[in-house]
């Protein structure tokens, strides 16, 4: 593989989208997609952690013996998650409060560990960074789309700004957990239909 | 597994954890100051919202005592946790020196969106202001009660009212302390 | 017919269409009662539910199959049953959303008639309850549409809130003179419809009888009036018309007994301990999930099959 391969960046956004195709990391997706603001914050935090951990894992891939790689990956991921956690608490306390437990829970997120194992530990730094950015962006786009489809009918607002009139009766189920499942189900069905997924 | 593999593995993981620990310690040092400031200013802002004329807020064992600029006591702020419909509701209730409600704020709740969460709205919370005794009950549950429950969210409304009444009972139990506050303010008021 | 076919060989003359129209006929008396007690707005809610169910059916057939399949009348049954479990004062557009979701989301997306896991009318009611909690929990007093519509708590609501309001007498609860969902109030007329269905062998007795019996026993043990609990809320409607739904209830008699008892336990738990005053809808949906499991353990053994581990 070449030193820099742009397709690594685009894979995560559509063809190998971590949510709609790989179906990883659904837990934070379900939990914080009820408002666009939190979803966007989660997405940015996710990109930061994923890119950071991918670069670091790729950097140390040659010195880490294979039999202890998983604990090393987890230490690396946990370090980045904690840095992001502290920074948000210090500079964006409201967002930190809204994301709650789902921010530290990123440590055990399958996308992070999955990309470290499947990609970063086998590829050079630049490609790993691209992969992290792409996958992170894919996650962010997915969570933003879901948040729009939940916040708009569920509260009549976007980014907390009123879109529908005051008289709009919010369809509350959309901002509750079942709403997240409905939206994800419909979006995956739609993606399978347009993406021409192979029949099993 | 060979003995050499175990040793190298141990060394690598040791180095990485030490490095990450050092890095985190540095980040912690930088951010801690800000985090503490945030926490403090958030609480102070909340206290100030409840007692706009309060200047000094000192943490006591069970409550926060409020003083004005001349060190005269203005009242107390109680921290109350009451079981709501969807989980605990965390309430901060300010009482003035006559144990009348100064103002109420909801810190945390997990009530039903669009229904129980309305306990955070001013229209509901303002009902408590200036009231004491049985007036703090919901109209439904006490003939002297003056608080209108939120339509369709009786349990959430009742939790807030119950919590405030409990705090008031606590004040009455500590009447010894209460008298001392009154004693010091009597001269000022009359 | 002389062609060779695999089992089952026993055929009944009942077709889906015939069953559906029998259910509609059985629901007619209660429908009349709802219009008598809650006025023409009740009729409007029923019509909106049926129409929106048809819209859901047509749309889902077009989207999922690319053509309109023949109607089997199940949309009328689902629509009527959904209307029966909605408050009479519900805004019509909400009823419309409910009807559409009942067919589209709960039934057709799971594979259409015969494949849905949950009772469509009840699942749609659950979605509406979560989405519009205010409108779904406000009930109007019976017969008040003639003068001025007033809100009133349901008998179970009065007990749950502990407000000490006057409970209606058991007799007026029996004939339907009480606040509640549109079609659940008149026990008398619901029972007439239920007897019709039983006589035509469209439903069997196990589920309703064990359902009501369980509720009666549990409420009696906890010191409440069992008769009051049977006559209040949607128990009769749910037990005879919804828990007995072919697709979402067990096949064997033994399974039906288990299903009925399960519904009764969950309903009593919600009524006595839960935060909602009424639990019939949720208990039936809850037990719907166990139907495949119940069927698995109660289906009779195949003739000639050898138990695993047994020597031939």
């Amino acid at each position: 593989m070449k030193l820099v391969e742009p397709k690594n960046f685009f894979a995560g956004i559509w063809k190998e989208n971590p949510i709609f195709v790989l179906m990883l990391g659904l837990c934070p997706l379900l939990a914080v997609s009820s408002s666009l603001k939190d979803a966007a914050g989660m997405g940015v935090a996710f990109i930061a952690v994923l890119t950071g951990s991918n670069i670091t894992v790729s950097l140390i891939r040659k010195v880490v013996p294979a039999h202890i790689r998983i604990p090393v990956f987890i230490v690396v991921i946990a370090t980045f998650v904690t840095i992001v956690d502290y920074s948000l608490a210090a500079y964006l306390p409201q967002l930190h409060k809204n994301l709650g437990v789902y921010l530290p829970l990123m440590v055990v997120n399958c996308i992070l560990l999955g990309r470290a194992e499947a990609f970063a530990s086998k590829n050079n730094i630049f490609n790993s960074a691209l992969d992290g950015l792409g996958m992170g962006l894919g996650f962010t786009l997915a969570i933003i789309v879901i948040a729009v489809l939940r916040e708009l009918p569920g509260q009549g607002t976007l980014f907390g700004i009123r879109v529908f009139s005051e008289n709009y009766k919010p369809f509350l189920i959309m901002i509750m957990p079942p709403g997240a499942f409905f939206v994800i189900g419909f979006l995956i069905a739609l993606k399978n239909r347009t993406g021409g997924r192979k029949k099993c | 597994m060979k003995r050499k593999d175990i040793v190298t593995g141990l060394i690598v993981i040791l180095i990485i954890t030490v490095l990450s620990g050092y890095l985190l310690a540095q980040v912690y040092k930088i951010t801690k100051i800000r985090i503490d400031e945030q926490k403090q200013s958030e609480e102070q802002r909340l206290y100030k919202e409840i007692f706009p004329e309060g200047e000094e807020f000192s943490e006591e064992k069970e409550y926060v005592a409020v003083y004005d600029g001349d060190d005269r006591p203005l009242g107390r702020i109680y921290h109350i946790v009451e079981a709501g419909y969807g989980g605990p509701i965390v309430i901060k209730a300010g009482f003035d020196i006559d144990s009348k409600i100064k103002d109420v704020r909801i810190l945390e709740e997990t009530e039903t969106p669009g229904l129980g969460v309305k306990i955070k709205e001013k229209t509901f919370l303002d009902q408590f202001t200036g009231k004491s005794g049985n007036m703090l009950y919901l109209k439904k549950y006490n003939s002297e009660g003056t608080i209108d429950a939120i339509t369709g969210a009786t349990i959430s409304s009742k939790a807030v009212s119950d919590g405030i009444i409990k705090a008031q009972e606590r004040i009455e139990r500590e009447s010894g302390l209460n008298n001392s506050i009154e004693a010091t303010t009597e001269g000022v008021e009359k | 017919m002389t062609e060779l076919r695999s089992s089952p060989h026993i055929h009944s003359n009942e077709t889906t269409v015939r069953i559906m129209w029998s259910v509609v006929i059985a629901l007619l008396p209660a429908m009349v009662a709802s219009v008598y007690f809650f006025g023409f707005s009740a009729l409007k809610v029923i019509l909106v539910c049926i129409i929106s169910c048809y819209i859901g059916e047509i749309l889902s057939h077009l989207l999922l199959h690319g053509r309109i399949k023949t109607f089997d009348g199940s949309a009328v049954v689902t629509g009527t049953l959904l209307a029966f479990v909605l408050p009479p004062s519900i805004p019509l557009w909400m009823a419309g959303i409910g009807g559409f979701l009942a067919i589209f989301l709960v039934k057709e997306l799971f594979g259409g008639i015969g494949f849905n896991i949950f009772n469509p009318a009840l699942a749609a009611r659950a979605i509406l309850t979560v989405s519009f909690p205010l409108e779904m929990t406000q009930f109007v007093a019976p017969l008040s549409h003639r003068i001025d519509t007033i809100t009133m708590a349901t008998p179970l609501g009065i007990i749950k809130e502990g407000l000490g309001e006057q409970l209606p007498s058991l007799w007026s609860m029996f004939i339907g003179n009480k606040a509640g969902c549109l079609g659940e109030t008149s026990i008398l007329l619901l029972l007439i419809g239920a007897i019709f269905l039983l006589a035509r062998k469209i439903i069997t007795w196990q589920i309703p009888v064990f359902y009501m019996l369980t509720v009666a026993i549990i409420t009696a043990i906890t010191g409440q009036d069992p008769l009051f609990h049977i006559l209040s809320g949607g128990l009769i409607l749910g037990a005879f018309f919804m828990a007995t739904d072919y697709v979402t209830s067990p096949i064997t008699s033994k399974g039906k007994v288990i299903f009925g008892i399960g519904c009764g336990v969950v309903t009593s738990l919600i009524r006595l301990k839960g935060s909602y005053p009424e639990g019939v809808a949720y208990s039936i949906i809850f037990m719907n999930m166990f139907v495949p499991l119940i069927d698995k353990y109660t289906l009779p053994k195949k003739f000639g099959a050898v138990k695993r581990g047994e020597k031939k």
Side-chain angles (χ1 to χ4, degrees), chain A residues 161-178:
Chain A
I161 301 159
R162 194 146 278 289
V163 177
F164 297 152
S165 81
E166 286 285 334
N167 297 327
Y168 173 71
K169 277 252 176 282
F171 197 46
L172 285 178
I173 199 165
M174 296 311 283
I175 52 166
M176 293 185 184

Side-chain angles (χ1 to χ4, degrees), chain C residues 21-289:
Chain C
W21 287 109
S22 301
V23 177
V24 173
I25 292 168
L27 289 169
L28 273 178
M31 211 186 282
V32 173
S34 73
V35 177
Y36 172 75
F37 286 116
F38 301 113
F40 274 99
S41 62
L43 198 62
K44 274 193 233 159
V45 174
I46 296 172
L47 281 178
V48 166
C49 282
I50 294 175
I51 292 168
S52 57
C53 278
Y54 268 116
I55 294 174
E57 194 166 85
I58 293 168
L59 258 178
S60 56
H61 284 177
L62 282 177
L63 271 173
L64 302 171
H65 308 285
R67 68 196 159 84
I68 296 172
K69 290 194 194 168
T70 47
F71 301 116
D72 49 25
S74 62
V76 180
V77 173
T78 303
T80 315
L81 284 176
L82 172 64
F84 273 24
V85 292
L86 296 177
S89 57
I90 188 168
L92 291 178
W93 63 270
M94 282 183 196
I97 288 182
F100 177 78
L101 289 178
I103 297 291
F104 188 80
L105 190 69
V106 188
K107 196 165 138 201
E108 295 295 339
L109 280 187
F110 282 90
I113 190 163
F115 296 100
N116 48 308
I117 301 169
F118 301 107
N119 184 307
L122 289 178
R125 183 200 137 94
I127 293 174
L128 290 178
T129 311
V130 172
S131 296
F132 310 110
L134 205 56
E135 288 78 3
M136 286 296 290
T137 49
Q138 275 190 333
F139 297 96
V140 294
L143 297 172
S144 69
H145 62 277
R146 294 180 185 172
I147 324 139
D148 185 20
T149 315
I150 43 169
T151 58
M152 189 187 205
T154 63
L156 285 169
I158 294 172
I159 290 198
K160 180 66 79 181
E161 298 226 326
L163 297 178
E165 276 172 42
Q166 182 70 45
L167 283 171
S169 71
L170 288 179
W171 174 248
S172 57
M173 284 175 68
F174 183 66
I175 59 163
N177 192 4
K178 66 182 176 207
C181 289
L182 206 147
E184 72 182 18
T185 57
S186 180
I187 307 301
L188 175 69
L189 295 176
L190 281 172
L191 282 179
I192 291 173
I195 289 166
F196 170 76
L197 287 183
L198 280 169
R200 298 201 62 180
K201 295 206 167 59
I202 286 175
I203 60 171
T204 48
W205 59 275
Q206 288 96 335
I207 292 176
V209 167
F210 277 94
Y211 191 168
M212 294 186 297
L213 215 61
T214 311
V215 172
I217 290 170
I218 294 179
T219 49
I221 289 171
T222 52
Q224 301 211 12
D225 183 359
L227 203 56
F228 169 83
H229 273 279
I230 287 179
L231 294 179
S232 57
L235 184 56
I236 300 286
L237 177 66
F240 283 100
F241 293 92
M242 299 186 161
T244 53
D245 178 12
Y246 284 153
V247 182
T248 57
S249 66
I251 300 164
T252 60
S253 302
K254 210 163 124 196
K256 285 174 179 163
V257 172
I258 298 172
F259 185 82
I261 293 175
C263 286
V265 170
V266 179
T267 302
S268 317
L269 268 178
I270 295 177
R271 280 190 183 180
L272 299 171
K273 293 280 169 204
S275 3
Y276 282 112
E278 171 63 314
V280 168
Y282 285 113
S283 72
I284 296 175
I285 295 175
F286 184 76
M287 288 308 292
N288 282 163
M289 293 192 293

Side-chain angles (χ1 to χ4, degrees), chain A residues 9-125:
Chain A
F9 175 70
F10 296 106
I13 296 178
W14 182 253
K15 226 179 91 200
E16 286 178 41
N17 187 293
I19 301 299
F20 296 130
V21 181
L22 306 181
M23 309 240 189
L24 295 173
L26 293 181
C27 162
L29 189 80
L30 293 168
V32 296
S33 60
S34 62
S35 93
L36 194 50
K37 229 186 247 172
D38 298 349
M42 186 72 182
V44 173
F46 198 84
I47 294 178
V49 173
L50 186 52
T51 313
S53 76
N54 258 13
I55 290 175
T56 316
V57 167
S58 172
L59 204 66
I60 58 172
R61 72 185 190 276
K62 288 197 178 129
V63 291
V64 177
H67 59 274
I68 55 153
R69 65 184 192 287
I70 298 290
V72 170
F73 295 163
I74 291 178
V75 170
V76 170
I77 293 168
T79 310
F80 279 99
V81 170
T82 315
I83 291 173
V84 168
D85 188 37
Y86 283 160
S87 320
L88 282 185
Y91 300 101
L92 293 167
Q94 189 55 47
L95 180 65
H96 183 259
K97 205 174 154 190
N98 290 351
L99 294 182
V101 74
Y102 296 100
L103 201 58
L105 266 183
M106 267 205 276
V107 174
V108 288
N109 190 297
C110 324
I111 303 177
L112 292 164
L113 194 59
R115 290 332 283 174
E117 166 77 4
F119 197 92
S121 63
K122 298 183 183 105
N123 287 286
N124 67 40
I125 301 175

